[in-house]
Structure formats: structure tokens, C-alpha cells
Amino acid sequence: APTLIPILGDQLSMNLSSLEGADPKRTVLLMMEVDDETGYVRHHKAKIAYILSAMRHHAEALKKAGWRVDYVKLDDPDNAGSFTGEVARAVGRHDPERIVVTQAGEWRVAAMLEAWETMFGIPVDIRPDTRFIASQAEFEDWAKDRKELRMEFFYRLMRRKTGLLMKGDKPEGGKWNYDADNRKPAPKKDVPPEPLTFAPDTITRDVLKLVAARFDNHPGSLDGFAYATTAEEAQKQAEAFMAHGLPKFGDYQDAMLTGQHQLWHSVLSPYINSGLLDPLELCRMAEGEYEDGNASLNSVEGYIRQIIGWREYVRGLYWHVGPDYVDRNFLRAHRKLPGFYWTGETDMHCMAQALGQTLDTAHAHHIQRLMVTGNYAILIGADPAEVHRWYLEIYIDAYEWVELPNVVGMSQFADGGIIASKPYVSSGAYINRMSDYCGSCRYDVKQRVGEDACPFNALYWDFLARHEERFEGNVRMAMAYRNWNRMADEDRKAVRAQAEGYLKGLDRG
Ligand code: FAD
């Protein structure tokens, strides 16, 4: 009897732990497109299209490599609609002696895998996902007995473990972190590299048709779908980034420009998260660019930190904090997200840009996610669980393990400060400094009150005032509170009235 190896939609890697030691002649690989996964939130159409197309291409690559693949399509009339239902059908078809599977990326699916052994009465070997640099045991070992779980210290551990940018025991250049050099505003002269596009082949065109017909009521657009859908294409995107994006990645990491969602970013997260690219290999490529003198240390360290620091850290944290993290609501925020999050129709230019790009491409870069859409949501007191669902459905790279800590923790401060040492909130001034958005906005970023005042301004001060008891003792917020307290009484009143009027307007819809 064969071994059955189910391969989940974000396990599209040739070097998966479940495949280790498997004999292609005595193994059936099972790949499943199921309604449960396309429907647990209303995913952006392009996100579904990307994942299904990448799965179908990966199945072809596996077959070419000599594997036997049993592939169940979404519109297969007998499709059971869930991983467990499909594994049950496959057990019936193949009568396997055992199941081997790489650990799922999230609590919901992990629970399904756990149930299979009892359900099917055959051994189920659930193996750790070795595509991550840190094992969960390593993260737990680091986390235990620590009062604060700050990314920076975990990152240093990962630098030592991988040897990336290390000179013996010392960090390259003498400092661990060059983030202070990575805050240049939007450039006036430098022009970002032209994004690479990948024309849909027949497999992708079929998937686009399927998604257009079946997920018509999901947000987002499929027009101009140009994502890579194979490991080879993703590799091309990686090479283009190393050559053209990385040299200025650090400088303009936090910058925002009208009409640009890529800038000097890599747009590789969809491929890393679904398995087409290996995170450590990308870091080695980036390190090579530094060693060859093609990219500066602040850029390369910044890039590597995002991956072996932030990415590994949020993953460790996701499993560490447990499945009820999704219910955290430290600021007791309950407002509904405004409808324009799903249409992009707002006269705040920064929001229209970030939302419009997101609906068009299912991608936005980090600062748009954190300091525009995320900032607005926390300032209006949006319900963090709903904010979480929005991010999970709208971004092509969104899987719960990475999205949830970023949204509930970093962006909405709903965990009370496990991830972030202060809430990421700002007035319009920050957006104005880092972007070219405000110049062509209907609102005036310099005004706090009145018809034309940028809404971020009053909302920001009102947020500080609303949460004064929580945050006035936070040293990283001290300057903000000093400025607030320095404002004349009547100005403070006017600002709060402005915010109140604005929020009432939102509630009226
Ligand atoms: P680059 O700017 O080129 O960064 C390089 C790589 O670093 C990324 O490809 C990504 O793999 C990694 N990375 C950078 N920042 C983070 C981070 N904070 N956490 C984890 N990995 C990181 N990233 C996701 O992959 N999926 C998500 O669902 C997601 N949701 C987010 C929600 C919010 C509110 C915020 C603030 C951030 C979120 N991020 C998420 C992190 C980050 O915004 C994206 O990884 C990044 O924008 C992807 O584009 P890129 O590949 O061009 O990134």
C-alpha cells in the first residue's frame, strides 16, 4: 500500500519535510482545491487565482520530477469541499498504509490534521515545517522567562544561527540594525524600477475564468493579473529585485508614491509564503549583493531583518500566543470598518491610493498597510477582529500565521503591547513627510479643524486623548502627550469636537 502525502496550498516547495525519504514509486501526493479554503473569508479574487494557479503549476512540476499526483479541482463534481473530506475520499481510492504531512500553517487547519489518525485508523506523521529558520521549540526556548518578546533580540539569535552578515560573533559593520538609515521620504528624482509582469499561460487563464465565475461576489479585481505562478517565474522576480530594487530598498523602505505599490520593495511575499521561494536562499542572494558591492549594508541588513527577523518572529509568536489571540481587544474598539475599505472610494488621497492599489493588485507595501489603512483603522477605533478579517481576505500574501500578529498586534495594538512597544498611530504629518499623497488631496494636511482639515489630524489627537490613561506613562509616547498637553484648552476642545463629528458621520454611514 502506498503512503499518502497531502500537500496543502501553501506547501508548494520541492524540499518539503513531508517528502523527505519518500519513495516516488510507493507514494501518492494529494493536492486539493476545496471550498473551505477558498471561502473561510471572502478572499480577494487575485489571491484565489494566484494560489490555485500556483498549485496547478506545482502539480505539473511534481509530476515532471517523477511524483504521482492525485489532484482534485474545485469544480470536480464529487469534491467534498474540505481537506478532511478530500483526504477521506483519497484514503478510499488509494488505501494507503499511512499519511505523512507537513504541519499546517495555522490553528484551524492544524486541528484538522490532528484528527486524521483517529478518523482514518492509520498512522499520521505530522512533520515540522522546515522551511522556517527557527523551529517552534527554538522560539519557545527564546520566549520562556522573558518579560518582553521584542523582535530585535530574536533577530540577533537568527543572525547568529544563519551566519548572515556576521563577522565571527560580531554583526557586519558593527551594528545589528540600520533601521535609522531607512526612513528617507518619497524621492523626487529617483524613479522606482519597472515592475516585472508575467503573462497568464493556459493554466492561469483557466483559473482566471473559474475565479471570475465562482467568486464574483469577492472583493478585488482580476484585470491585469500579472503575478508569477511558477518557481521559475518567482525566481526571475527575485533576481530582478536583487538587481534593481535592493540597492535602494533600505533608503526608501518607508516611502510612499502615488501610483506605486512596488517602489523598491520585492513583492516576493506571495511566493515565499506559498513555498515557491525559499526565504533563506533569498537572504543569501541579498548578502551576495552586499559582498559584491552592489547594495549597501543598510539595504541588505534591512531586507534580511524583514525575513529572518520579522517574518520568523511573527510566526513563532503566532503559535506561542495561542488560537484566542484573534479575540484580543485591548483598546475595546468596536467600530465597523467603513465600506470604502472594499471600494476604495474615499476622498482621502492616501487611503484611496492604498485601498485602490490593494483592490487592483491584492498587494500594498508595508508602510501603506501600517501607516495608512492600519493607522486609520486604529484611530477610528475599528474592531480589531474585523480589521484582521479584512487584511486576511484582501492581501495576496495573507495567511493567518503572518497576517494576524501583524494586524492584531503590530497595527491595532489589540494585544496590549506584546509585539509593539507603542501603538503605530500618526497624524497626517507623517504621511505628508513620507509620501507625495497630500499635495493632491482634497483635504489640507496642515489643518486640524474645519471642513478641509485632514481627518487623520483630529483623529490622532482624539486617539491620544481617549487613551490617555493607557499611554501617558509610555516613554515612547511622552513627546506626543507633551505636545497634546501644550495645546490651548480651546484648541483641544475643538479638535475633540472635530473628531467626534467625524466619527458620528462614519457611524451614520
Ligand atoms: P518587502 O518590503 O520587499 O520585504 C521583504 C520581505 O520581508 C517580505 O517579502 C516579507 O516576506 C518579509 N516581511 C517584511 N515585513 C514583514 C512583517 N512585518 N511580517 C512578516 N514578514 C515580513 N506580510 C505577509 O506576508 N502577509 C500578510 O498577510 C501581511 N499582513 C500585514 C498586515 C499589516 C497590518 C502589516 C503592517 C504588515 C503585514 N505584512 C504581511 C508584512 C509586510 O507588509 C509584507 O510582508 C510586505 O509588504 C510584502 O511585500 P514585499 O514582499 O514587497 O515586502
Side-chain angles (χ1 to χ4, degrees):
T3 297
L4 182 68
I5 304 186
I7 295 191
L8 309 180
D10 61 354
Q11 299 184 343
L12 311 181
S13 315
M14 287 291 172
N15 61 348
L16 209 57
S17 60
S18 56
L19 297 177
E20 269 167 39
D23 173 359
K25 286 198 246 8
R26 304 195 51 228
T27 303
V28 177
L29 308 186
L30 174 66
M31 295 183 71
M32 307 155 275
E33 300 176 356
V34 292
D35 276 337
D36 263 13
E37 302 307 310
T38 53
Y40 64 88
V41 288
R42 272 189 342 136
H43 304 284
H44 193 299
K45 293 187 191 84
K47 179 183 181 188
I48 302 180
Y50 164 69
I51 294 174
L52 296 187
S53 177
M55 283 174 68
R56 291 181 184 192
H57 282 100
H58 186 64
E60 294 308 310
L62 287 167
K63 283 185 212 159
K64 250 203 199 140
W67 295 98
R68 184 170 153 207
V69 183
D70 184 355
Y71 195 99
V72 183
K73 287 190 173 167
L74 201 59
D75 49 6
D76 179 334
D78 297 325
N79 193 314
S82 68
F83 285 147
T84 297
E86 276 308 315
V87 172
R89 289 210 308 140
V91 166
R93 276 197 300 278
H94 304 290
D95 192 22
E97 63 178 13
R98 61 177 192 144
I99 295 174
V100 178
V101 63
T102 291
Q103 178 59 289
E106 63 203 65
W107 290 105
R108 183 180 61 84
V109 184
M112 297 182 202
L113 273 48
E114 297 289 338
W116 289 350
E117 192 157 281
T118 320
M119 200 175 279
F120 304 126
I122 49 173
V124 177
D125 178 5
I126 303 173
R127 298 185 179 169
D129 192 338
T130 48
R131 296 172 300 169
F132 288 94
I133 293 153
S135 69
Q136 198 52 32
E138 246 175 307
F139 187 89
E140 295 303 342
D141 193 45
W142 172 78
K144 76 171 189 294
D145 309 330
R146 261 169 209 270
K147 239 174 75 210
E148 290 194 320
L149 302 180
R150 294 284 169 251
M151 190 286 294
E152 181 63 26
F153 298 102
F154 181 71
Y155 165 56
R156 294 181 190 177
L157 197 70
M158 292 299 104
R159 285 275 292 278
R160 289 204 165 94
K161 177 168 183 183
T162 57
L164 284 161
L165 296 179
M166 294 298 294
K167 274 223 154 88
D169 198 37
K170 298 265 172 339
E172 181 70 39
K175 280 200 300 189
W176 289 100
N177 183 320
Y178 292 85
D179 201 34
D181 300 338
N182 290 1
R183 291 174 196 151
K184 291 206 176 59
K188 297 221 162 59
K189 279 213 285 303
D190 283 330
V191 180
E194 206 40 48
L196 269 195
T197 55
F198 300 91
D201 62 1
T202 34
I203 293 183
T204 303
R205 284 201 298 274
D206 272 356
V207 166
L208 290 172
K209 262 190 237 142
L210 174 81
V211 174
R214 223 178 150 105
F215 303 100
D216 189 36
N217 63 344
H218 283 222
S221 167
L222 289 173
D223 298 343
F225 181 94
Y227 282 101
T229 52
T230 65
E232 292 73 28
E233 287 178 347
Q235 184 66 22
K236 281 200 187 118
Q237 170 83 8
E239 282 161 15
F241 166 69
M242 298 297 161
H244 310 298
L246 184 65
K248 293 209 172 354
F249 173 85
D251 286 1
Y252 299 130
Q253 201 178 351
D254 291 356
M256 298 176 276
L257 273 177
T258 298
Q260 305 276 350
H261 76 100
Q262 175 167 320
L263 294 155
W264 286 268
H265 294 274
S266 63
V267 195
L268 293 174
S269 51
Y271 316 127
I272 307 175
N273 293 352
S274 63
L276 297 187
L277 293 178
D278 182 72
L280 190 55
E281 263 171 42
L282 291 170
C283 291
R284 300 241 183 268
M285 281 169 85
E287 186 185 43
E289 297 296 326
Y290 169 69
E291 283 164 357
D292 294 347
N294 301 332
S296 59
L297 185 53
N298 68 306
S299 281
V300 174
E301 186 279 318
Y303 180 73
I304 288 176
R305 171 159 30 86
Q306 301 313 310
I307 294 192
I308 70 169
W310 279 110
R311 187 172 185 275
E312 291 287 327
Y313 164 83
V314 298
R315 192 258 182 171
L317 203 85
Y318 172 78
W319 293 107
H320 177 74
V321 291
D324 58 0
Y325 188 78
V326 63
D327 303 321
R328 303 277 178 110
N329 194 349
F330 178 72
L331 299 176
R332 310 221 182 294
H334 297 291
R335 181 161 278 108
K336 262 176 73 64
L337 265 189
F340 58 72
Y341 271 74
W342 287 270
T343 65
E345 283 162 22
T346 160
D347 50 12
M348 290 173 278
H349 187 226
C350 57
M351 288 288 280
Q353 280 289 313
L355 293 167
Q357 283 164 22
T358 296
L359 291 162
D360 284 349
T361 67
H363 182 267
H365 62 75
H366 190 69
I367 286 298
Q368 292 178 310
R369 297 188 205 195
L370 186 64
M371 297 312 290
V372 181
T373 47
N375 185 18
Y376 183 83
I378 185 174
L379 290 181
I380 64 165
D383 187 328
E386 196 192 4
V387 181
H388 146 64
R389 273 195 304 278
W390 182 80
Y391 277 93
L392 187 58
E393 74 180 32
I394 218 78
Y395 286 110
I396 190 162
D397 53 21
Y399 300 84
E400 193 181 80
W401 67 265
V402 53
E403 172 277 334
L404 185 69
N406 270 302
V407 172
V408 164
M410 175 150 32
S411 165
Q412 301 301 299
F413 207 78
D415 65 3
I418 299 178
I419 295 187
S421 52
K422 74 171 188 61
Y424 281 95
V425 287
S426 81
S427 68
Y430 173 84
I431 295 172
N432 191 31
R433 185 164 71 246
M434 299 310 292
S435 78
D436 67 355
Y437 292 154
C438 303
S440 46
C441 185
R442 167 237 175 285
Y443 294 107
D444 183 349
V445 68
K446 298 263 158 32
Q447 289 187 40
R448 286 197 292 250
V449 296
E451 283 268 294
D452 295 331
C454 166
F456 277 90
N457 292 339
L459 288 172
Y460 169 72
W461 294 114
D462 187 60
F463 176 91
L464 291 185
R466 238 162 43 226
H467 298 296
E468 191 153 7
E469 274 184 18
R470 285 199 175 92
F471 295 127
E472 70 181 338
N474 181 323
V475 284
R476 296 194 62 204
M477 304 284 280
M479 178 131 94
Y481 278 106
R482 261 201 307 281
N483 289 336
W484 171 242
N485 289 320
R486 221 183 273 145
M487 236 183 260
D489 254 2
E490 67 220 75
D491 290 343
R492 290 199 291 183
K493 269 200 200 115
V495 165
R496 295 215 65 183
Q498 172 91 6
E500 198 188 315
Y502 185 85
L503 293 172
K504 277 206 179 117
L506 277 185
D507 293 341
R508 280 194 302 271

